Amino acid sequence: MSEQHSNSGSNFKFYSGLVLIIAGAVVCLNMFLLAVGIPIFAIGAALVFISKKSVLTKVITVLTPVILWFAVFKLMERIIIHAKSEIVVTVPDEFSGQVRIVYGEESGMSPQETDNKMQLEVPANGVLIIKPSIKAGIQDVTYSFKTKNGVPFSFYDMSKIGDQSVKRPAVFYEGTISPETQLDYLYIGFQVLRNESDQVANANAKNTLTDSLVTVSRAY
């Protein structure tokens, strides 16, 4: 009777420990809660090890969630890194003015990728139409601007446009825009200012040209 009671108590410790181990591992998936998750996991592991299960069962019970935690964490890390797109934009060597990247167009070009970075080559007219979609918002995409000769541009948002400490050449991010036309397209706008004398263009300066190029692109 006492042996049965002892086994029952041992099983309770084992399964209670298993529940705490799993709970601790799940909590630890949030890096900000490691201080909570690790003690929960440790208490669970201690309960498992003082149970009367075999050593092999104890080791497997404790190590399996650890291995799975690392696997899930690495998978989440890869997903987050992949979600953060990186785009390299190349402009003509003497280009200055507005750049519009119209995206999500079925008839647009399919850009190449190098080292998981989308390569976009802007033509002399400053309007590029591409097939893939781009996540809206500067926080989701890392842009690198350069000339065909490889000269890099500093990259800023439009709040820096009046900052005299910003050195040229510089690229200013206008935002993701849906122009007020019947064509219903989206583009990401940039202002490329090469020299100190370059002026900021009116936001609608390229509307007519962009509308025309989108219309022509959709006709094919």
Side-chain angles (χ1 to χ4, degrees):
M1 186 77 173
S2 60
E3 183 178 349
Q4 184 179 2
H5 179 74
S6 175
N7 287 336
S8 176
S10 178
N11 285 335
F12 177 78
K13 291 174 184 176
F14 176 80
Y15 289 112
S16 296
L18 178 59
V19 170
L20 290 175
I21 285 173
I22 294 172
V26 171
V27 171
C28 285
L29 288 175
N30 187 329
M31 299 300 290
F32 296 103
L33 296 178
L34 285 177
V36 176
I38 290 176
I40 294 174
F41 184 93
I43 293 170
L47 287 173
V48 166
F49 276 111
I50 64 175
S51 71
K52 292 188 176 181
K53 297 292 184 179
S54 68
V55 174
L56 180 60
T57 300
K58 294 175 183 178
V59 171
I60 291 175
T61 301
V62 173
L63 287 185
T64 299
V66 173
I67 294 171
L68 289 175
W69 181 88
F70 275 106
V72 171
F73 184 78
K74 286 297 181 182
L75 178 61
M76 292 172 61
E77 187 178 49
R78 287 177 66 88
I79 291 172
I80 291 171
I81 291 173
H82 183 72
K84 182 75 175 180
S85 304
E86 188 162 356
I87 297 175
V88 177
V89 183
T90 303
V91 297
D93 290 329
E94 300 303 320
F95 184 89
S96 184
Q98 283 184 312
V99 170
R100 288 187 173 181
I101 299 173
V102 181
Y103 62 90
E105 292 289 317
E106 280 299 318
S107 54
M109 58 91 67
S110 297
Q112 294 182 341
E113 286 200 10
T114 304
D115 298 328
N116 294 321
K117 300 177 183 179
M118 186 185 293
Q119 307 289 322
L120 300 182
E121 189 163 326
V122 178
N125 61 22
V127 180
L128 178 65
I129 302 174
I130 64 173
K131 186 173 183 177
S133 293
I134 297 176
K135 286 190 174 183
I138 193 171
Q139 70 277 4
D140 296 318
V141 182
T142 298
Y143 293 98
S144 300
F145 267 78
K146 64 179 183 178
T147 66
K148 287 186 177 181
N149 285 333
V151 178
F153 290 78
S154 300
F155 190 82
Y156 307 92
D157 59 45
M158 288 299 284
S159 65
K160 295 281 189 179
I161 197 70
D163 188 346
Q164 298 303 315
S165 65
V166 173
K167 301 298 182 184
R168 312 296 174 86
V171 174
F172 296 89
Y173 176 77
E174 291 182 333
T176 301
I177 304 166
S178 177
E180 295 181 1
T181 72
Q182 295 182 351
L183 294 177
D184 189 27
Y185 61 86
L186 286 171
Y187 71 85
I188 300 175
F190 306 93
Q191 299 261 356
V192 178
L193 305 183
R194 179 176 296 277
N195 306 304
E196 296 295 335
S197 59
D198 290 340
Q199 299 297 312
V200 180
N202 182 285
N204 298 319
K206 262 189 164 58
N207 274 4
T208 302
L209 174 61
T210 308
D211 287 356
S212 299
L213 292 174
V214 169
T215 300
V216 172
S217 174
R218 289 178 179 178
Y220 291 95

